[in-house]
Amino acid sequence: MMLPDGTMWDMSASILDLAPVVPVVVVQDAADAVPLARALVAGGLPAIEVTLRTPVALDAIRAIAGEVPDAVVGAGTVITPEQVNESIAAGARFLVSPGWTDVLLEAMRASGVPFLPGVSTTSEVVALLERGVTEMKFFPAQAAGGTAYLKSLAGPLPQARFCPTGGIGLASAPEYLALPNVGCVGGTWMLPEDAVAARDWVRIESLAREAAALSADATCR
């Protein structure tokens, strides 16, 4: 796929470097998946995490993968090997989990696509580094210590990079993006419930564009 800067993306590249924000999408109506994804991509957010929290999530991933070629659609809230297989079969190009076990980690590794296992403690980070994983989701970001916690990890564990997700909004995102060990953040603020319910894709595109511009505000990357 073609990225907003005109370069091509392949699965050997890092999800953390696609855009400053990864929208975390909960799809209630599969018919909304394609226009919603198009709005996000048009706004400059090509990496889209569709969470497996609704019965139509896999259908949404399948539709986006088939009809929005400029999107890099992934599956979130992946917690079982079965969900890994189902997500890949639906067309997911990356996987995100809220936490991890060895069984889940090996399934994600075997999938052949990039993945971000979730962590919230130093021990979990070290355990993943032992297993050769250096890119992770920090979740739930605000509740688990926020920017202060991630900043404290940068010194002893500089090889770990994170996508913090959970409780992050437009105002706090630049503080995370300014950290040297943060590649991007996950969030939902560009997808307000009333806009999605009204199918106001123009508003969502505008909010996505605002989020995509946040990298310019992160001065210490």
Side-chain angles (χ1 to χ4, degrees):
M1 64 154 284
M2 188 72 71
L3 298 178
D5 63 3
T7 60
M8 294 296 294
W9 184 82
D10 62 66
M11 288 193 296
S12 65
S14 173
I15 289 295
L16 300 185
D17 297 325
L18 273 172
V21 180
V22 175
V24 180
V25 181
V26 181
V27 179
Q28 302 291 348
D29 186 339
D32 292 339
V34 167
L36 189 154
R38 286 174 175 159
L40 292 172
V41 171
L45 301 180
I48 301 171
E49 176 189 336
V50 177
T51 67
L52 302 184
R53 302 181 190 177
T54 68
V56 302
L58 291 172
D59 290 334
I61 291 171
R62 190 173 295 109
I64 294 170
E67 299 183 45
V68 191
D70 289 336
V72 178
V73 63
T77 322
V78 176
I79 59 173
T80 67
E82 291 76 19
Q83 289 180 328
V84 169
N85 296 333
E86 292 169 346
S87 298
I88 297 302
R93 299 174 70 182
F94 66 93
L95 304 168
V96 183
S97 67
W100 66 277
T101 65
D102 280 320
V103 171
L104 179 59
L105 185 67
E106 288 311 307
M108 291 193 292
R109 196 192 301 271
S111 72
V113 304
F115 57 91
L116 297 173
V119 297
S120 61
T121 69
T122 306
S123 294
E124 290 171 319
V125 176
V126 171
L128 284 177
L129 292 175
E130 286 183 349
R131 290 159 174 79
V133 179
T134 60
E135 297 188 343
M136 314 165 194
K137 172 180 180 175
F138 179 57
F139 175 83
Q142 288 291 91
T147 56
Y149 191 91
L150 285 173
K151 186 176 182 179
S152 71
L153 292 181
L157 302 172
Q159 63 272 55
R161 297 181 72 215
F162 301 95
C163 173
T165 306
I168 299 174
L170 180 63
S172 60
E175 299 174 16
Y176 283 93
L177 292 169
L179 298 175
N181 55 351
V182 169
C184 64
V185 300
T188 61
W189 74 86
M190 73 296 301
L191 299 162
E193 291 184 6
D194 59 336
V196 175
R199 295 178 168 83
D200 189 347
W201 313 128
V202 172
R203 181 183 172 198
I204 289 173
E205 179 181 339
S206 177
L207 292 171
R209 185 170 292 107
E210 186 178 32
L214 285 176
S215 57
D217 298 326
T219 58
C220 301
R221 298 293 293 277

